[in-house]
Amino acid sequence: VSLAAYMSLPPSSYDALDPAMITRRPGSPGAFTLRVQRARLLGVWLEPTVDVTVEVATVGTKPAVRLRSDGYRLDGSEIVRRLGIDERSATAFDATLTWTPGGTIAADIDIRVWAEPVGPFKAVPRRALAAAGDALLAGLTSLLLPAFLGKLAADYSRWAADSAYRAARGGEGKGGGAA
């Protein structure tokens, strides 16, 4: 069963990838909330939550799956809450997944971050803050995307090998049958 068929399945069942990480939001079949595993940095924990809309799309002539963030929340340690970092920061992303007939998935991601320096960080030069923020963002992104793609790969393997699971998830998809 082809990767193209799997990737063309309706995104409404993406919460089956990992119900602890991905939950469906009411109102739209492709709307989900992604919970990133708690990250620790210098004794402070951060736990981002991103609302995402997923759609099967076409990019140029290639079929694709697009993930677009619709909202972002940042929970964290007491210091994170007290400084109001959630209200003083924002993150948005657009990710496009494409694939080859040979079974390789590629991801193109555009991430935008805004943060207002808080407390003692107001005295730190912007360049240093930007570098630290970029490092933190890279760390969080390195948790989210590989975790999602790993779950997608594991689900595809199960879907391709298990006809009962394939039927429950939506059959053959739009991309055709056997590879």
Side-chain angles (χ1 to χ4, degrees):
V1 181
S2 74
L3 177 61
Y6 174 78
M7 294 298 287
S8 68
L9 291 172
S12 59
S13 62
Y14 274 29
D15 56 336
L17 298 176
D18 182 347
M21 178 185 177
I22 306 165
T23 55
R24 193 177 313 183
R25 287 189 338 229
S28 172
F32 300 92
T33 297
L34 301 178
R35 296 194 191 301
V36 179
Q37 187 176 33
R38 211 174 258 197
R40 293 195 173 278
L41 178 68
L42 303 173
V44 174
W45 64 266
L46 301 169
E47 191 173 80
T49 302
V50 184
D51 292 332
V52 177
T53 299
V54 181
E55 65 180 348
V56 176
T58 302
V59 176
T61 60
K62 292 173 123 178
V65 172
R66 295 197 58 208
L67 297 93
R68 185 187 73 247
S69 62
D70 300 323
Y72 171 83
R73 292 169 302 286
L74 182 65
D75 194 12
S77 299
E78 178 60 31
I79 186 76
V80 172
R81 292 177 184 159
R82 194 175 28 188
L83 291 173
I85 293 175
D86 180 50
E87 296 83 20
R88 292 180 168 87
S89 65
T91 298
F93 73 85
D94 287 297
T96 302
L97 305 178
T98 55
W99 51 92
T100 66
T104 302
I105 297 176
D108 180 33
I109 305 171
D110 176 34
I111 302 172
R112 296 165 306 284
V113 177
W114 171 84
E116 175 186 328
V118 295
F121 297 107
K122 289 181 181 179
V124 177
R126 284 235 182 238
R127 208 175 268 257
L129 281 177
D134 287 349
L136 177 61
L137 178 63
L140 293 175
T141 303
S142 71
L143 292 172
L144 178 62
L145 189 60
F148 177 77
L149 290 176
K151 299 205 184 287
L152 198 64
D155 190 66
Y156 168 66
S157 293
R158 181 177 176 197
W159 183 85
D162 183 341
S163 60
Y165 183 66
R166 191 166 45 252
R169 285 286 314 277
E172 301 299 323
K174 295 178 193 167

